[in-house]
Amino acid sequence: MMKSKKPGHFTPRVIQSRFPAAWTWFVDELIPATAKKKYSPKESWKEKPFSKEDARFFFKGIEELSNLFTEERPKGMVPYFNHPKYRCAYLLYFLPLQAAKFLTLFELNPGALKAALQHGREQKVLRIADIGAGPATASLAFLLWILENEKGEIPRIEFYWSDTQSDILKDGKELVESLSNQFPKLRDKVEIHLSTLPWWKSASRLPDELSLTFLGHVLNESAVPTQMSEAFWPDLIDRASGGGVLMVEPAARKSSQYLSRLRNELFSNDCIENTPQRIWGPCLHAGNCPLAEGRDWCHFSVPTKIPGEWFKGFSENLGSERQWVKFSYLWVASASHPAPLPPATARRVISDTLSQGLKATHLLCEPDEARKWNPPSGVRIWRGDVVKLSKGREEF
Ligand SMILES: C[S@@+](CC[C@H](N)C(=O)[O-])C[C@H]1O[C@@H](n2cnc3c(N)ncnc32)[C@H](O)[C@@H]1O
């Protein structure tokens, strides 16, 4: 991270999400062609190029699914992927949207990806679990990332995907196979293993040592009694070497606070050692999360323009042209490849500007209780920035 000219302050996240060169082909050609081939109601349409009429036809499912995702659902989520209309809607719109979040998180935590690759090289195979994989969103984002960023030989890749809905896993398999065939660097290198299982039963079916593990937007979909999942986490964390476990959830309070409480339990149950080196992000300390309950919650927004003509059209029709990607996340580092120890004076900004009098005030993340902080005048601070305090830990 670059230092700004102001003492005691790291520059705001450099970040605008960046998209790999293959992204536009992926979202404008591969996804629409696959969705149309699999989900057109008429045989004669299936091999024709995706058109504006198709976009109009499939948009209804996108709109309905978007409403379903934003509704309060006290009884948990209905199994929407049983319905072909919603599988197709997810491929066309939500897959690019969620993949953009994974790419953004890869950008924010490059050390974790480096650890995954290093572990994969040592093992001569990258074993990657994607739990609640849906159409393999996280795995696809990883392949796009590795195509763009790995200049040398890519090791063999074995994917282990699980989900309660098998048809959407098959859609993901088709996409990953087409993507891998398109690029010589990936051709004949990718092997896919599928299981139809709830997430809390999936760990024992995974290989003993994984290079990277994803849980994307799945934990918020099922209200799981703790006793059903309590064996899952230690088992998963034990297997998660290399780049550790990345969990991404919506930016909403309920899903974010679930992640915060899970994080606290992983520490307090000794699933992970009590050091910030067991977390890639967003936390810089290993104390209790100050936002695990109450009014505020830990979430981030990153300025983004997601490339893709069809995606743009769908966003406009939903009345929400995307300027940001928003998410909550927890990236647990592995014991074998821990994250670097953050400087003792570094703090994560966990609020937007709180309007309080003339001085801008922000919340900084500290164990148990967030600290109010006024940035030096003239410095613009964003939620998610890392700032450096002048007096450091001796202050608390
Ligand atoms: C919003 S989709 C996310 C898919 C993909 N991981 C992504 O990030 O785009 C949620 C996925 O979780 C799956 N799911 C819901 N409840 C589940 C459970 N109890 N165990 C495993 N998967 C589940 C759904 O079938 C769906 O594929």
Side-chain angles (χ1 to χ4, degrees), residues 80-81 90 132-134 137 163-165 198-200 216-218 221-222:
Y80 50 90
F81 279 151
Y90 202 91
T137 315
D163 200 288
T164 42
Q165 305 291 313
W199 61 261
W200 58 89
H217 312 98
V218 57
E221 290 209 354
S222 38

Side-chain angles (χ1 to χ4, degrees), residues 39 55 102 104 112 114 124 129 138 145 167 192 201 223 233 239 321 325 380 383:
Y39 293 109
F102 283 104
T104 303
K114 225 170 135 186
K124 304 209 168 15
W145 180 90
D167 285 331
I192 300 167
K201 289 192 181 164
W233 292 107
R239 291 164 200 264
E321 215 189 329
V325 281
R380 180 74 205 263
R383 177 194 290 274

Side-chain angles (χ1 to χ4, degrees), residues 73-321:
R73 26 176 215 266
K75 291 193 185 145
M77 187 55 116
V78 292
Y80 50 90
F81 279 151
N82 278 345
H83 201 307
K85 175 164 66 167
Y86 296 138
R87 293 199 295 279
C88 185
Y90 202 91
L91 296 184
L92 288 169
Y93 181 71
F94 297 94
L95 166 52
L97 177 63
Q98 311 298 42
K101 297 181 190 174
F102 283 104
L103 286 169
T104 303
L105 282 160
F106 298 165
E107 196 91 350
L108 286 168
N109 298 280
L113 273 281
K114 225 170 135 186
L117 278 176
Q118 192 187 339
H119 181 264
R121 290 233 158 71
E122 286 155 15
Q123 303 282 311
K124 304 209 168 15
V125 52
L126 270 160
R127 294 197 174 90
I128 300 180
D130 194 342
I131 298 171
T137 315
S139 305
L140 283 158
F142 177 78
L143 290 177
L144 291 168
W145 180 90
I146 205 173
L147 274 173
E148 181 83 3
N149 291 285
E150 186 46 51
K151 301 300 169 217
E153 175 87 352
I154 295 176
R156 219 158 49 74
I157 302 176
E158 289 174 10
F159 283 119
Y160 294 84
W161 301 341
S162 57
D163 200 288
T164 42
Q165 305 291 313
S166 58
D167 285 331
I168 194 71
L169 291 176
K170 289 180 197 148
D171 289 350
K173 187 162 186 279
E174 195 161 330
L175 286 170
V176 163
E177 286 170 351
S178 303
L179 177 81
S180 314
N181 280 333
Q182 179 77 10
F183 296 96
K185 274 173 91 171
L186 289 175
R187 205 169 292 147
D188 301 324
K189 287 237 164 111
V190 179
E191 192 178 300
I192 300 167
H193 302 258
L194 308 182
S195 334
T196 311
L197 282 172
W199 61 261
W200 58 89
K201 289 192 181 164
S202 61
S204 58
R205 304 281 189 92
L206 292 169
D208 289 344
E209 222 176 299
L210 295 157
S211 296
L212 192 56
T213 298
F214 298 116
L215 284 110
H217 312 98
V218 57
L219 300 174
N220 75 91
E221 290 209 354
S222 38
V224 187
T226 317
Q227 69 273 21
M228 284 165 79
S229 66
E230 67 190 4
F232 169 79
W233 292 107
D235 194 356
L236 183 72
I237 301 280
D238 254 17
R239 291 164 200 264
S241 294
V245 184
L246 170 59
M247 296 164 239
V248 186
E249 288 294 324
R253 173 160 57 179
K254 198 167 162 201
S255 39
S256 163
Q257 292 191 335
Y258 180 96
L259 279 187
S260 295
R261 287 195 298 273
L262 172 64
R263 169 203 177 279
N264 289 350
E265 278 171 32
L266 293 177
F267 278 125
S268 63
N269 295 343
D270 292 328
C271 253
I272 54 179
E273 300 87 13
N274 201 255
T275 157
Q277 289 188 276
R278 288 305 303 271
I279 305 233
W280 285 106
C283 328
L284 302 176
H285 64 79
N288 277 329
C289 172
L291 301 185
E293 41 199 48
R295 198 193 54 180
D296 299 314
W297 64 99
C298 180
H299 63 287
F300 303 95
S301 314
V302 176
T304 305
K305 192 168 183 312
I306 300 176
E309 278 312 301
W310 300 116
F311 182 85
K312 183 169 185 283
F314 295 137
S315 301
E316 283 168 2
N317 284 342
L318 284 175
S320 64
E321 215 189 329

